[in-house]
Amino acid sequence: MLSSRDVCVATDYIYNQFENGVDKETVMCQDRINDLLLHRDAESNEFHAVLGCQDKYIRVMKVPDAMIPASSPFRTIGLVSMTGGGKIKTVWKTAQDKTAPSPITSMVAYDINKDDAVEVVIGREDGRVEIYSVDESGNIVKEFEHVASESVRAIQAGVLGTPVRLQKVMFPIACVSLHSTVPLDLLDTAKNQAILCRSPADPANHTHVLATYRCQELTNRLEFRIRTLEGQYGEVELTVLAETVPKSAQCVKIVVKPLSLHHRVNVVDSKDVDEAVMNSLYFTGAFSLVQVHEWVAFCLPDVPVRMQDDEGKLYFRNAFVGNVLVCEYRKGEARFLSSSVSTIAILKEVITKEATIRKVTLNMTFDIKNESTPAVLALLRPKLDEKQMLASQVKIIEGIKELQMHEADHSLWMSSEYQRILADADRIVADFQASPRAMSYITGVLTDLFVDISKFRGVNAHLPRLFQILDQYNYDALVEFFTRAP
């Protein structure tokens, strides 16, 4: 149990508990500590330090193997529940579907309504402040929502008993310049009302994208969405010019890694790591654990800065395709497993290049399995089928609308499918108008996959037939082309 003489502190990677100025407990975490919470165990009446870490785990100090995995890094800890012995469990979470507005950056529990029941107040990255309560049936109810013009980084709840003083406010944004040394797509964002001006690319001078967003109204927050191409790596630099006198600017650099579409996951299903359909890349050589860990961190995001064990095993999932990458490595040995040949090809190229720069000799073997390609195509099929369905629906929308205009009660005779298309006509047309860009990206992914497969087979890639199959889309023909192509 903590007393007034005890102090618990956390730096970027180290947690310490001091008692009377003496270091009582020291723990070095594998990845950055984002938040620290002290929780009292109801049974033992002891306090446990709970750490929210960048590697997507909550860790409980003094409790062996007490960790909760998540799908994204923990930025704040607000509500945890402990069972006997300090074990932790999830007691409340927001929706995990596509309607979830934005990641939670801060959270606090407070009885705002003064009804002897605690409400949950959360702040989100997109500026939303939400208040949730629990009704008599135990259901989560959203009581309040406010959208601010800036991202919410911290939040507290309470009663103000002193006069409010004016604070310094953020200055409006005049414009934002975006410069990228790698090819990428600038995606449309509904919340971004700034005027976009693009300049010609100049790859010879490492400028693949140069764009400027100019704000016409007072704007304190701009949201950008970009889509990268795996295998291309470099930097994206944002220069934010504030509406101040004199003018001032701030630069933000984002590193785009070779496998930028992959994100780390802590838990995977056994079917996602079936080695029967996974290609493998195997390295051996006179390299240290630190060196191979640096190579993995260079290729992939969300890799812990430090290694605490003698070997590493990390899982990553491609956010676009959905396939899983397994990284296993130790001193002098590394193995990578993925159903995507493109992922294996990128790792092979980048790690070999980095080892050559450091004058490290590598022995490399790989195993490309024929069963892997149909597995990847099956993951891409829903996206391909959706584009074909959109094209089919757009062709009949005008005809359905015309029938609706000439019939008084079309719901009596019109099929449920046509009624659904009619109700979603605006969304279908908007998605169809955006589909050429999306289809172009999918075509690029499939083209890279076919080229990489051909390289491993030692043959030239004949692309015209692939483009023809995609233009006259037929999934079975696509699978046959990939599996039978020499």
Side-chain angles (χ1 to χ4, degrees), residues 403-415 419 422:
L403 289 174
Q404 179 195 19
M405 293 175 59
H406 291 84
E407 297 290 340
D409 193 354
H410 63 279
S411 61
L412 296 177
W413 56 268
M414 185 177 290
S415 67
Q419 291 185 42
L422 189 62

Side-chain angles (χ1 to χ4, degrees), residues 87-302:
K87 299 297 181 180
I88 49 183
K89 64 178 181 179
T90 303
V91 294
W92 181 84
K93 62 182 179 180
T94 56
Q96 297 297 311
D97 55 19
K98 295 182 179 179
T99 62
S102 180
I104 296 175
T105 57
S106 54
M107 178 188 298
V108 67
Y110 186 77
D111 183 9
I112 293 180
N113 297 331
K114 300 302 178 183
D115 57 357
D116 296 328
V118 175
E119 285 78 39
V120 180
V121 186
I122 66 173
R124 295 186 182 271
E125 191 175 75
D126 64 354
R128 294 175 186 266
V129 177
E130 301 169 346
I131 300 178
Y132 292 88
S133 65
V134 181
D135 61 17
E136 296 179 354
S137 302
N139 299 317
I140 304 296
V141 179
K142 182 187 289 187
E143 300 286 357
F144 174 80
E145 179 180 292
H146 172 73
V147 182
S149 60
E150 303 173 20
S151 177
V152 179
R153 312 311 299 175
I155 196 167
Q156 287 292 338
V159 178
L160 293 177
T162 58
V164 178
R165 295 183 298 174
L166 294 177
Q167 303 293 321
K168 182 180 176 181
V169 298
M170 296 294 293
F171 293 106
I173 298 173
C175 65
V176 177
S177 173
L178 184 149
H179 173 263
S180 175
T181 62
V182 295
L184 51 82
D185 287 340
L186 299 178
L187 304 180
D188 296 331
T189 305
K191 299 178 182 179
N192 192 343
Q193 302 298 324
I195 299 175
L196 172 62
C197 300
R198 302 192 62 158
S199 301
D202 186 9
N205 292 316
H206 306 289
T207 300
H208 286 271
V209 178
L210 182 59
T212 302
Y213 291 86
R214 298 186 180 277
C215 302
Q216 290 183 306
E217 301 177 354
L218 292 179
T219 303
N220 294 85
R221 174 182 172 84
L222 283 179
E223 181 178 302
F224 300 92
R225 291 189 179 183
I226 61 175
R227 184 161 50 201
T228 58
L229 302 174
E230 289 206 323
Q232 304 282 346
Y233 52 99
E235 288 185 345
V236 176
E237 182 176 4
L238 295 171
T239 303
V240 184
L241 181 64
E243 195 69 75
T244 60
V245 179
K247 295 293 185 182
S248 62
Q250 182 176 358
C251 293
V252 179
K253 288 187 178 181
I254 302 171
V255 177
V256 179
K257 304 207 172 185
L259 293 175
S260 55
L261 293 182
H262 283 70
H263 63 97
R264 187 179 170 191
V265 292
N266 293 318
V267 180
V268 295
D269 294 332
S270 57
K271 63 180 181 180
D272 292 332
V273 289
D274 182 6
E275 294 195 16
V277 296
M278 298 190 80
N279 310 296
S280 63
L281 177 65
Y282 186 68
F283 288 109
T284 58
F287 51 82
S288 65
L289 176 63
V290 174
Q291 284 179 316
V292 66
H293 184 70
E294 288 177 351
W295 296 339
V296 174
F298 183 83
C299 293
L300 290 152
D302 302 330

